[in-house]
């Protein structure tokens, strides 16, 4: 499985990593830390046979993408086993989702996850996953105690593989270009 993910400026990454670390300590669930999953928002998830073709297409598309601002506004849960921070969906995030989807959908024999298609995608920054009910409750209590709305900038986009999590290519966004709506 491949992922296209957004990475953040150092300040936002440190803040999110702090949440990941605190939740791991409080819940006893170290999934994110043990697998070295960095703070991120995944905007595409797919299966594909032609990795080089994916890199080529993304390379052409990402060079035009600007740095953008993300505002994390709430705590959320998936399937009672994942806790995350939810960014507020804005024009920047929506446009990235659509643009990356349109680019990778041109690749033959690609299977894009329905959960990462435009208008079906729920942007999120996972803080912990594979949680038991008890771990989830402890994680929520820890986040609820420490979370306040905050902002960060998307400064990099990565193509990664899962199991184990590994970046294949990371594109630095041009720090002279910042998206404004």
């Amino acid at each position: 499985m491949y992922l296209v993910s957004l990475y953040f400026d150092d300040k936002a990454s440190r803040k999110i990593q702090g949440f990941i670390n605190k939740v791991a300590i409080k819940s006893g669930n170290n999934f994110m830390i043990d697998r070295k999953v960095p703070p991120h928002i995944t905007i595409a998830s797919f299966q594909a046979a032609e990795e080089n073709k994916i890199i080529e297409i993304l390379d052409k598309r990402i060079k035009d993408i600007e740095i953008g601002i993300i505002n994390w506004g709430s705590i959320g849960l998936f399937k009672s086993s994942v806790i995350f921070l939810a960014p507020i969906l804005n024009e920047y995030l929506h446009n990235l989702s659509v643009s990356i989807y349109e680019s990778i959908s041109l690749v033959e024999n690609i299977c894009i996850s329905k959960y990462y298609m435009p208008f079906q995608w729920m942007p999120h920054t996972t803080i912990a996953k594979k949680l038991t009910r008890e771990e989830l409750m402890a994680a929520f209590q820890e986040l609820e105690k420490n979370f306040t709305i905050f902002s960060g900038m998307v400064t990099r986009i990565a193509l990664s593989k899962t199991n184990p999590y590994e970046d294949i290519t990371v594109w630095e966004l041009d720090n002279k270009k910042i998206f404004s709506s």
Side-chain angles (χ1 to χ4, degrees):
M1 170 135 350
Y2 292 95
L3 306 174
V4 176
S5 298
L6 309 177
Y7 291 165
F8 318 114
D9 63 275
D10 290 342
K11 183 177 177 184
S13 292
R14 279 192 307 273
K15 185 172 188 82
I16 295 165
Q17 189 63 54
F19 289 135
I20 291 169
N21 295 344
K22 285 179 182 179
V23 164
I25 290 166
K26 187 72 170 187
S27 69
N29 179 305
N30 294 312
F31 183 92
M32 298 290 286
I33 294 169
D34 290 347
R35 286 163 181 79
K36 298 177 176 57
V37 180
H40 70 281
I41 296 173
T42 298
I43 60 172
S45 176
F46 56 92
Q47 300 279 352
E50 296 187 57
E51 184 175 296
N52 289 335
K53 184 69 173 167
I54 297 290
I55 293 169
E56 179 184 324
I57 286 172
L58 289 174
D59 197 47
K60 288 178 186 172
R61 179 60 200 111
I62 291 172
K63 71 179 179 178
D64 295 326
I65 294 176
E66 302 170 339
I67 286 174
I69 297 183
I70 305 291
N71 297 297
W72 285 269
S74 64
I75 301 165
L77 308 170
F78 285 138
K79 295 187 194 177
S80 302
S81 67
V82 175
I83 192 163
F84 59 88
L85 302 182
I88 298 164
L89 184 58
N90 59 17
E91 183 181 0
Y92 179 75
L93 276 176
H94 174 73
N95 290 347
L96 281 176
S97 169
V98 170
S99 177
I100 296 300
Y101 172 77
E102 288 174 349
S103 297
I104 64 174
S105 65
L106 299 174
V107 176
E108 289 185 31
N109 300 318
I110 192 166
C111 181
I112 302 171
S113 168
K114 68 180 181 178
Y115 300 112
Y116 288 90
M117 291 183 180
F119 300 107
Q120 296 182 41
W121 167 63
M122 172 72 183
H124 63 282
T125 301
T126 301
I127 299 301
K129 63 191 300 183
K130 308 258 184 205
L131 296 162
T132 65
R133 181 170 172 74
E134 294 75 23
E135 291 169 343
L136 182 67
M137 296 304 285
F140 182 80
Q141 287 173 349
E142 187 65 19
L143 279 179
E144 192 275 330
K145 182 172 60 175
N146 290 288
F147 176 79
T148 57
I149 295 172
F150 69 99
S151 299
M153 292 188 303
V154 174
T155 57
R156 297 177 317 283
I157 298 178
L159 175 66
S160 308
K161 283 185 178 179
T162 60
N163 303 321
Y165 191 95
E166 173 189 5
D167 287 337
I168 297 166
T169 304
V170 179
W171 291 270
E172 297 285 333
L173 301 182
D174 185 347
N175 65 7
K176 294 178 187 79
K177 298 188 321 188
I178 299 179
F179 178 86
S180 62
S181 55

